[in-house]
Amino acid sequence: MMKILVTGTAGFIGFYAVKKLAGKGHQIIGLDNINDYYTPKLKFARLQETGIEQSEIAYNKVVTSKTIPYYKFIKLNLEDKENLESLFKTENFDAVLNLAAQAGVRYSIANPYSYIQSNVVGFLNILECCRHYNVKQLVYASSSSVYGKNSKVPFSEDDRVDNPVSLYAATKKADELMAFTYSNLYGMNTTGLRFFTVYGPWGRPDMAPMLFTNAIIKGEPIKVFNNGNLSRDFTYIDDIIEGVVRVTERISAESSQAKVYNIGCGHPMQLMDFIHTLEKSIGKKAEMNFLPMQQGDVYQTFADTHKLENDFGYKPTTELKEGIEKFVEWYKKFYED
């Protein structure tokens, strides 16, 4: 079994990663700064689900889970180099799964500095700590947004990714370049995962599934950009986590490896079809406000996942209808009970 630092554990993917990895017997330290990019209420609820009581959380304090064996949590900023180094020195991690980041494409246009601090400076601190404290493996979150305006589909890891259309995408590409550099300079193993549109229970409230569901249930109009002429590679959270865990658990015997993988469904869906699937699960028609293309957005995402499938046996199995039904069921229980 391994000792793993998982960052971003109050977030959507990090929350599931903790449950899956700890459930397999790994010793986990979770880290998050619990910022207010979206309501901390949801973040604290996720932490509560993993046995971390809100009343016990304080900055740079290690809290032990009340429900998950061998799981502890610390509230910390990745930009806090001194305390981050102290954590690495004390815990002696085998691997790091870095899911913490300032998320959101549109938010990056109005708040550029927060993205550089978290996604670039914070990631540099992670790299430095992994380098100095002999971490065997670093797995980190990249994003499908690095493909920018690429018109060739499906998106392949071999495609050029030098035309980002948002600062968020630029910071994720910067992370990949930094990881590649550290792998070559210092003999580190790094693996970047380019996440495509992830959805499911406990999802982010700034993402389309949550925004649309909330509006439809309340009878409010939903914003449909580019007049609905968009497609996304919607991927259910359980499929994503299966891939994340497989990559995190396999520590290569070789050093100086820098790899990047797409992790998505590989079956993009038109936005209007996604909305109609939501309507059926909710049992209510959506009122739609059709709008032009939004700044920083892309027309389509479509993952070529052959490399992850070949190397790790990754194969998504959740159909969109099934995933949406599970999401809507959770949403009604969490927000309406």
Side-chain angles (χ1 to χ4, degrees), residues 153-155 196-197 230-235 264-274 299-305 320:
V153 292
F155 297 157
F196 283 68
T197 310
L230 299 170
S231 67
R232 293 289 181 266
D233 200 319
F234 292 102
T235 316
C265 182
H267 298 284
M269 172 166 279
Q270 289 293 321
L271 182 61
M272 293 307 299
D273 291 336
F274 180 81
Y299 294 101
Q300 61 184 337
T301 62
F302 182 175
D304 180 343
T305 60
L320 186 77

Side-chain angles (χ1 to χ4, degrees), residues 220-256:
E220 299 171 352
I222 63 175
K223 295 179 179 179
V224 183
F225 292 101
N226 201 40
N227 298 307
N229 187 25
L230 299 170
S231 67
R232 293 289 181 266
D233 200 319
F234 292 102
T235 316
Y236 191 64
I237 184 64
D238 288 359
D239 292 329
I240 287 286
I241 292 301
E242 183 62 34
V244 169
V245 168
R246 289 187 186 196
V247 173
T248 304
E249 286 185 318
R250 187 190 296 179
I251 295 180
S252 174
E254 300 177 33
S255 60
S256 303

Side-chain angles (χ1 to χ4, degrees), residues 31 59-60 74-91 93 121-122 124-126 128-129 132-133:
L31 179 153
Y59 192 78
N60 201 33
I74 184 169
K75 181 181 179 182
L76 197 65
N77 286 314
L78 294 185
E79 305 95 293
D80 186 346
K81 186 172 179 287
E82 182 179 348
N83 283 315
L84 191 65
E85 284 184 345
S86 178
L87 181 69
F88 271 76
K89 184 177 182 179
T90 301
E91 299 295 344
F93 299 113
V121 175
L124 174 61
N125 289 341
I126 287 286
E128 279 286 284
C129 286
H132 288 295
Y133 294 100

Side-chain angles (χ1 to χ4, degrees), residues 3 9 20 53 70 98-99 105 152 168 171 192 261 314 317 325:
K3 191 170 193 179
T9 53
K20 186 79 170 183
E53 303 285 346
Y70 309 114
N98 184 52
L99 300 170
V105 170
K152 171 192 156 291
Y168 170 71
T171 63
Y261 294 96
Y314 169 81
T317 59
E325 286 175 352

Side-chain angles (χ1 to χ4, degrees), residues 72-319:
K72 297 178 180 179
F73 173 81
I74 184 169
K75 181 181 179 182
L76 197 65
N77 286 314
L78 294 185
E79 305 95 293
D80 186 346
K81 186 172 179 287
E82 182 179 348
N83 283 315
L84 191 65
E85 284 184 345
S86 178
L87 181 69
F88 271 76
K89 184 177 182 179
T90 301
E91 299 295 344
N92 193 27
F93 299 113
D94 296 306
V96 172
L97 174 58
N98 184 52
L99 300 170
Q102 178 56 63
V105 170
R106 292 154 193 162
Y107 188 76
S108 69
I109 295 170
N111 301 273
Y113 287 98
S114 64
Y115 285 77
I116 298 300
Q117 284 300 310
S118 179
N119 300 1
V120 179
V121 175
F123 188 63
L124 174 61
N125 289 341
I126 287 286
L127 286 168
E128 279 286 284
C129 286
C130 288
R131 168 196 170 194
H132 288 295
Y133 294 100
N134 300 314
V135 173
K136 299 180 184 70
Q137 159 125 302
L138 168 62
V139 180
Y140 63 94
S142 186
S143 168
S144 62
S145 66
V146 300
Y147 290 107
K149 290 184 177 180
N150 283 18
S151 57
K152 171 192 156 291
V153 292
F155 297 157
S156 165
E157 295 91 341
D158 298 323
D159 294 341
R160 292 183 62 171
V161 285
D162 53 3
N163 57 356
V165 294
S166 70
L167 184 64
Y168 170 71
T171 63
K172 287 300 184 179
K173 179 55 184 172
D175 288 351
E176 293 182 3
L177 292 170
M178 291 161 66
F180 185 88
T181 302
Y182 268 68
S183 290
N184 281 274
L185 286 176
Y186 307 116
M188 293 169 54
N189 285 318
T190 65
T191 305
L193 296 174
R194 291 175 176 170
F195 290 104
F196 283 68
T197 310
V198 187
Y199 75 99
W202 297 98
R204 278 170 36 199
D206 62 318
M207 298 286 283
M210 193 85 84
L211 293 170
F212 289 172
T213 300
N214 182 57
I216 293 170
I217 288 174
K218 291 181 178 178
E220 299 171 352
I222 63 175
K223 295 179 179 179
V224 183
F225 292 101
N226 201 40
N227 298 307
N229 187 25
L230 299 170
S231 67
R232 293 289 181 266
D233 200 319
F234 292 102
T235 316
Y236 191 64
I237 184 64
D238 288 359
D239 292 329
I240 287 286
I241 292 301
E242 183 62 34
V244 169
V245 168
R246 289 187 186 196
V247 173
T248 304
E249 286 185 318
R250 187 190 296 179
I251 295 180
S252 174
E254 300 177 33
S255 60
S256 303
Q257 286 198 141
K259 294 189 175 182
V260 175
Y261 294 96
N262 289 334
I263 182 164
C265 182
H267 298 284
M269 172 166 279
Q270 289 293 321
L271 182 61
M272 293 307 299
D273 291 336
F274 180 81
I275 292 170
H276 294 324
T277 304
L278 260 182
E279 289 175 324
K280 290 176 183 176
S281 291
I282 295 169
K284 191 174 181 180
K285 280 287 185 182
E287 181 184 339
M288 302 183 210
N289 183 13
F290 289 96
L291 297 167
M293 191 67 169
Q294 191 166 216
Q295 187 180 24
D297 218 340
V298 296
Y299 294 101
Q300 61 184 337
T301 62
F302 182 175
D304 180 343
T305 60
H306 282 99
K307 285 190 176 182
L308 195 60
E309 182 179 344
N310 290 338
D311 289 358
F312 293 93
Y314 169 81
K315 194 73 175 175
T317 59
T318 309
E319 295 290 335

